[in-house]
Amino acid sequence: MRTILIDFDVHKEIERRRRSFKETPNDVLRRNFGLPALMPDETEEIREEPGLAVRGTVIPNGTKLRGTYKGIQYYAEVNEGQIIFNGKKFKSPSAAVMDITHVNTNGWIFWEYYDAVNSEWKILKTLREKAQDPMG
């Protein structure tokens, strides 16, 4: 299987076009490109989580995260629908940052994500704001 990188807006549009939670991003693309659906056994190896779904926002798998605490920069990545940090898996940005600060911290403000389309780091809460904006 090949991996392709897509920006957040493309990912969001694929998610919007899903007809059910069981339909994968690959299924959506095949349907929209007019390609025949794969048989269930053919899709076994390519089914994967679209990313970390939390508070109405999907942070795509492969998203790189960074944050700074007490002058030290920390890096994490979204993979398998979770944030992977220091070999541990977390189900929310805030849970991941608590592993650093040991106090309640808003992970949406602490973490930045790498926007590959614009080649820049942006505060994570902008992804949530985009997802909640009805105009996209």
Side-chain angles (χ1 to χ4, degrees):
M1 173 177 62
R2 291 194 175 166
T3 300
I4 60 170
L5 297 176
I6 58 173
D7 64 56
F8 183 72
D9 291 331
V10 171
H11 173 76
K12 189 166 72 171
E13 184 62 23
I14 291 170
E15 288 300 306
R16 189 185 69 75
R17 292 180 184 212
R18 284 174 69 179
R19 292 182 175 164
S20 73
F21 288 113
K22 291 188 176 202
E23 188 175 47
T24 67
N26 191 69
D27 296 337
V28 172
L29 292 172
R30 290 187 73 82
R31 181 171 37 79
N32 281 275
F33 290 143
L35 298 170
L38 294 175
M39 300 306 291
D41 60 334
E42 293 177 296
T43 61
E44 271 312 302
E45 71 179 67
I46 60 172
R47 289 206 184 271
E48 61 182 57
E49 295 292 318
L52 173 62
V54 61
R55 300 192 77 181
T57 304
V58 176
I59 307 170
N61 282 330
T63 300
K64 309 261 187 256
L65 303 173
R66 78 172 182 190
T68 304
Y69 182 67
K70 294 188 176 182
I72 300 172
Q73 208 146 65
Y74 297 90
Y75 293 89
E77 184 172 343
V78 176
N79 199 347
E80 299 176 2
Q82 300 176 76
I83 294 175
I84 310 298
F85 173 70
N86 268 355
K88 299 176 189 171
K89 297 177 181 181
F90 299 92
K91 296 196 180 265
S92 77
S94 297
V97 72
M98 279 189 61
D99 199 57
I100 299 167
T101 65
H102 304 290
V103 295
N104 284 336
T105 304
N106 185 333
W108 293 95
I109 294 172
F110 176 84
W111 293 108
E112 296 176 302
Y113 74 97
Y114 186 70
D115 178 354
V117 173
N118 297 305
S119 300
E120 64 184 356
W121 290 92
K122 295 181 178 177
I123 192 161
L124 190 59
K125 78 174 186 174
T126 60
L127 281 183
R128 190 169 64 186
E129 290 165 355
K130 272 184 168 182
Q132 293 172 348
D133 181 359
M135 298 304 289

